[in-house]
Amino acid sequence: MTAPSTYGLSTQARNLQWLLTDLVEEVPGVNSVAVVSSDGLLLLSSEPAAVRDDADRDRPKGPRGASADLATIVSGLGSLTTGAAALMDGGGVKQTMVAMEHGSVFVMAISDGSLLGVHAAPDCDMSVVAYHMALFVGRAGHVLTPEVRSELRQSMEKTP
C-alpha cells in the first residue's frame, strides 16, 4: 500500500491514516480505499495491492491503480445516489454497493457529506467489508473536522 507520509500530521490525521491502513490490510478482499470530501476532493487513499498472484494477473487491476480514479468514482456514486434518494423522498443515503463481474465498489457516508469508498475483490465477504466500513465511519466521523480535512487535503497535494 502506498499512502502519504504521516510525518508532520496532527494526531487526528495520523489516526485516520492508521484506520484506513488497517481497513486495507486487515479486511480480506479489500483492494483499495478512498476518503473523499463533500466537494469531491481526495482526503485519504490507498493504492491497490501492488503484488498479485498469478491467478489475478489477467483480472482488471481496479480503478487504473490510481487513487484519484477511485475518488472520482466514489464522489460520482455518492452524488448520483443522493440525487436519487432526493427524487424518491428516501432520506439520506447510508451505503451504496455496486457488484461487478471482477469486483465490488462500496460507498458509505461518513459525515457532512464526506464519503468512504472501497474497491473490493469479487469474492470478498460483502458483509465483512460493510461491517469494517461502518467501524471506520463510526471512528472517523467525529474526527473529520474542517481543520483535519484541510490538513489531509494539503498532505495529499504534497504526495507525489
Side-chain angles (χ1 to χ4, degrees):
M1 179 179 108
T2 60
S5 169
T6 59
Y7 178 75
L9 293 179
S10 67
T11 301
Q12 294 89 349
R14 284 194 315 269
N15 285 343
L16 287 171
Q17 186 63 54
W18 178 84
L19 285 171
L20 181 125
T21 301
D22 190 55
L23 178 63
V24 174
E25 293 178 354
E26 299 300 321
V27 181
V30 170
N31 294 329
S32 59
V33 179
V35 175
V36 181
S37 67
S38 60
D39 53 0
L41 296 174
L42 182 62
L43 299 177
L44 287 169
S45 72
S46 69
E47 292 291 334
V51 179
R52 295 177 179 267
D53 62 24
D54 289 335
D56 289 340
R57 201 169 300 256
D58 295 328
R59 189 175 288 166
K61 303 277 189 278
R64 279 184 253 145
S67 54
D69 290 341
L70 180 58
T72 300
I73 292 164
V74 168
S75 182
L77 283 172
S79 182
L80 178 66
T81 55
T82 298
L87 286 172
M88 297 176 187
D89 292 326
V93 177
K94 296 179 181 181
Q95 182 177 353
T96 302
M97 197 274 298
V98 179
M100 301 168 288
E101 186 177 345
H102 296 292
S104 298
V105 175
F106 301 82
V107 179
M108 190 175 284
I110 297 176
S111 63
D112 72 338
S114 296
L115 300 167
L116 170 65
V118 172
H119 173 244
D123 58 348
C124 74
D125 185 332
M126 293 180 186
S127 62
V128 170
V129 173
Y131 172 76
H132 284 278
M133 287 177 71
L135 288 178
F136 181 96
V137 166
R139 293 173 181 154
H142 68 283
V143 177
L144 206 51
T145 63
E147 296 80 16
V148 173
R149 284 194 309 272
S150 177
E151 180 182 3
L152 291 169
R153 214 176 275 151
Q154 289 173 1
S155 74
M156 289 304 292
E157 290 170 1
K158 293 177 187 175
T159 303

